[in-house]
Amino acid sequence: MSNYQLMAIAKRIVSKQLKSFSYLSLVLLPMIVGEAAVYRNQEFLQTLTAKQLSLGLYQLMPGVAAFLCAVYTGVLATEVVADREAKLTEFLLAIVDAKT
């Protein structure tokens, strides 16, 4: 499979996810809330030392990994459901005559 084909598949999946409510609620809303929290606490973040900041980031890593796994699972589940729906539609259309 060429890179062009892979990019076409990725573009289709991403465009479908951007339209879904689950993507908006799992990815975009937490990003907006996180950005608002960072903007609100700018003075506090500027007083942190590099060691404190790195320790805080290390503590966030398990949560970020779990979040990314949940998002990836949601993407896969959406694609499986779409594939099953397409197969069911093809099966139902194959039963009917072309004239009908």
Side-chain angles (χ1 to χ4, degrees):
M1 193 177 285
S2 70
N3 288 339
Y4 178 75
Q5 291 171 327
L6 289 174
M7 291 305 293
I9 292 169
K11 181 181 174 184
R12 179 180 169 274
I13 290 171
V14 169
S15 67
K16 192 179 269 189
Q17 287 300 317
L18 286 175
K19 295 175 187 173
S20 73
F21 177 73
S22 62
Y23 182 81
L24 293 175
S25 63
L26 283 174
V27 176
L28 293 182
L29 291 178
M31 283 177 53
I32 292 170
V33 170
E35 287 294 324
V38 168
Y39 180 74
R40 184 170 172 236
N41 297 319
Q42 277 182 339
E43 294 85 20
F44 172 72
L45 291 174
Q46 290 174 352
T47 62
L48 290 177
T49 64
K51 187 174 183 177
Q52 291 172 332
L53 189 59
S54 64
L55 286 174
L57 290 176
Y58 286 136
Q59 291 174 350
L60 288 176
M61 284 300 158
V64 171
F67 174 74
L68 291 176
C69 287
V71 169
Y72 182 69
T73 304
V75 169
L76 286 178
T78 302
E79 288 301 313
V80 167
V81 168
D83 185 50
R84 295 293 176 183
E85 287 177 355
K87 286 183 180 180
L88 180 62
T89 304
E90 290 173 6
F91 178 71
L92 291 174
L93 289 174
I95 296 173
V96 181
D97 289 341
K99 292 179 182 178
T100 305

